[in-house]
Structures are given as C-alpha cells and as structure tokens.
Amino acid sequence: MSTHAGPRLALGLLIASALLLAVGACVGSTGWQSPWRMGEDPIAWQIVRDIRLPRTLGAWTAGALLGLGGAVAQGLFRNPLAEPFLLGSASGATLAVALGLLLIGAPAAASLASASWLARLGVTGLAFVGALAGVLLTLALARGAQHTLRLLLAGVIVGYVLGAAKDLVTLASPDILQSLQIFMLGTSGFVGWDGCALMAAALALCLLAALALARVLDGLSLGEATAHSLGLPLAQLRAALVAVLALATGTAVAQTGLIAFVGLAAPHLVRSAIKVRHGWLLPLASLMGAVLLLAADIGARWLLAPQELPVGVLTAVLGGSYLLWLMHRGQVRAR
C-alpha cells in the first residue's frame, strides 16, 4: 500500500463531506432551493439555520458514529459481516421507545403520572438508555467480554428476546405502531443543534478511544494466540472496545433511530479502496459512514419531494444491494 493512500482517501472523503453539507443545506421538503434566493428571504434562511443545517450535520455525525462502530465491531469479532447492532443495542433501544410510548399514551392516571419523567426524558433519552441496557444485558449473559464467540452469541440471543418483547408491547397497544415505525425506519428529521453537539462529543470521545485501541484490533485480526503473544490484556481491552461500540451506536440510534447497513458497508468500502491497518481504517470508516448517511439523507429528502422517504429504508436498499454484489464477486468471507 502507498503511504499516501490513506491521507488521499481521507482528503477525498472530507471534500465529499463539504460538498454534501452544502447540498444538504439547499434541499428541503420542496426539493432544491437556490442559496441566492435563500439569502434574500429571511424566513427561508431561518429554515436553513434551524432545520436543514442541524439535520444535515446530524446525519453526517450519526453516519460517522455508525461507520466507526462498524469498523470496531468487525475488528472485535474478526468478521467482515459484523455490524454495530450485534450487541443488542438496536433491540434494546426499540423496546425502550415502545415502552415509553406505551406509558406516555396510557389512559390510566397512574401511568400518566409515571409518564411525566418519561416525557421529560424524551424518545432520544429512552433510546439511549435502552441501547446501553441491551449491551449490558449481553455482557451479563456472556459473563463479560473475555470470549468473543460467547459475546457474539449472547448479542444474537438478546436481540431476538428484546425484539420479541417489543412485538408483545406493540400487540398490547397497536396505536403506538405509527410512532414506533418512524423510529424503526430511521430519520434525521428530528435532530437539532443539541443533538448535533451531543453526537459530535460522543464521536470525538469514541474516535480517540478507538485509535488508542487500534493496535489491539490489529492483534486480534491475526488471531487471539498472536494477540496474547504480543502481551495484550485482551479481557480488559475487549471490554474497552465494547464500551466504544456501545457509546457510538447508542448515541447514533438515540438521535436518528435504526439506520441499517451504514456501519456494515462503510468499512467494506474503505477496504475495497485501500489496504490499511486499523489506525487508518477507523477514521476512514467513520468518514465513509458520514458520507454514506448524509448522501442517503439528501436522497431521501429530494427523490420524491415534497414526500420524504425513510432514510433507513434507502440505506438498507443501497447497502444490501452493494453487499449482494460483493458476495456475488466472492469478496465477503467470514474469517
């Protein structure tokens, strides 16, 4: 690999991000709007400042978190098909949101009284708490992060169990289905400046921690025996990687709902372009995820304007098609 390949790809992704951020500020419910006309209309500029810009930046930041989470998950489980939601964060977040909607919408006085703190916490807070609870339940079931295979199996089990619990909640109260569907299909439409700041802080923290653990992921990619021979305390370092994965995924899910395939496809796209170690793969996958989700979010707003597509559906269609193409070419293999 050329020593300049990583910086060149990073520069290209940053340029693409800047262009997409500019386009995102000009695309709304009515489609494309000229920036010169917006400058002459104070109401249009207020819409850009208060709605489009935070939404666009929020989509970029959420994509960066998911891309980073995907790179960490694939390195941790040594499997290119691993994705950020493997540890039960998605199912935990969905169940928490379903329970919150059920309690807030319940007619009983006791439920309404208990729902006051739920209303203050909000959907994003419930989703974040649920995502972290799902990961903690997975860790408890796997008895820590010492064994990768046990952790992976525990995450699958927790995902199925919490998903079934969510289905029971929706069966008990079908009127929450419409609100829950918005969360499950994914959207950046409700991200404000506070959400952008929260995701940016989580991204900075997770990226710094992941880069500090990049050598661990490089060691794990060579096998656990090799990682042990390097003198790495794998149990503690795996727990740190799980914490990074949980924080990145939980923060993104809390703000934008369940958006599929971004975390799975972003590391693949980086690896298909250049061969790098995790010191470069982690930030590049983060940038790639940001570009992918922001491009999908702009497309979701623009394709059928004034009607808007759920961005999670668009990423699933495009990401799934890309992975099917990779599998057809024989480039996706479990290690």
Side-chain angles (χ1 to χ4, degrees), residues 130-335:
L132 291 184
V135 174
L136 292 175
L137 182 58
T138 298
L139 287 171
L141 188 62
R143 299 176 185 175
Q146 291 87 352
H147 303 286
T148 304
L149 181 58
R150 184 187 293 171
L151 189 63
L152 179 60
L153 292 175
V156 172
I157 293 169
V158 167
Y160 277 117
V161 171
L162 296 186
K166 179 266 299 179
D167 291 337
L168 289 175
V169 172
T170 56
L171 284 173
S173 182
D175 55 315
I176 70 171
L177 271 174
Q178 185 175 2
S179 299
L180 185 62
Q181 188 179 41
I182 296 174
F183 177 82
M184 294 178 64
L185 293 179
T187 179
S188 63
F190 304 111
V191 179
W193 287 115
D194 290 343
C196 288
L198 181 62
M199 285 193 289
L203 176 61
L205 180 61
C206 290
L207 188 55
L208 288 174
L211 288 174
L213 297 167
R215 182 169 171 263
V216 182
L217 293 172
D218 288 336
L220 285 173
S221 66
L222 300 174
E224 294 204 12
T226 303
H228 276 296
S229 69
L230 295 174
L232 298 174
L234 290 185
Q236 297 88 335
L237 294 176
R238 273 202 199 97
L241 287 169
V242 168
V244 171
L245 179 57
L247 180 59
T249 307
T251 305
V253 167
Q255 298 295 326
T256 60
L258 306 184
I259 297 179
F261 281 101
V262 171
L264 182 57
H268 278 286
L269 286 170
V270 173
R271 292 193 194 98
S272 66
I274 58 174
K275 302 299 180 184
V276 288
R277 293 183 177 181
H278 283 88
W280 270 108
L281 178 63
L282 293 167
L284 288 174
S286 184
L287 284 173
M288 185 66 76
V291 169
L292 288 176
L293 184 51
L294 181 52
D297 184 64
I298 293 172
R301 287 184 257 168
W302 200 349
L303 288 176
L304 297 179
Q307 185 178 354
E308 182 175 326
L309 289 170
V311 67
V313 173
L314 194 57
T315 58
V317 170
L318 297 178
S321 301
Y322 170 71
L323 288 176
L324 285 173
W325 176 70
L326 284 183
M327 293 178 70
H328 176 70
R329 292 182 58 190
Q331 293 184 6
V332 179
R333 298 185 181 91
R335 298 176 199 173

Side-chain angles (χ1 to χ4, degrees), residues 113-128:
S114 65
S116 59
W117 65 271
L118 290 172
R120 289 196 298 270
L121 186 60
V123 172
T124 56
L126 285 170
F128 184 75

Side-chain angles (χ1 to χ4, degrees), residues 62-86:
L65 285 167
L66 292 174
L68 177 62
V72 170
Q74 291 175 17
L76 177 63
F77 295 113
R78 291 185 293 151
N79 192 321
L81 295 178
E83 50 103 17
F85 301 144
L86 271 179

Side-chain angles (χ1 to χ4, degrees), residues 32-115:
W32 175 265
Q33 189 173 4
S34 170
W36 290 276
R37 291 185 60 186
M38 289 188 296
E40 300 170 356
D41 186 349
I43 296 179
W45 172 243
Q46 185 178 7
I47 292 174
V48 171
R49 184 189 63 214
D50 296 339
I51 298 176
R52 291 185 194 170
L53 279 178
R55 173 176 185 167
T56 300
L57 288 170
W60 188 93
T61 315
L65 285 167
L66 292 174
L68 177 62
V72 170
Q74 291 175 17
L76 177 63
F77 295 113
R78 291 185 293 151
N79 192 321
L81 295 178
E83 50 103 17
F85 301 144
L86 271 179
L87 296 183
S89 57
S91 53
T94 308
L95 176 59
V97 171
L99 289 172
L101 292 173
L102 176 66
L103 293 176
I104 292 172
S111 296
L112 288 174
S114 65

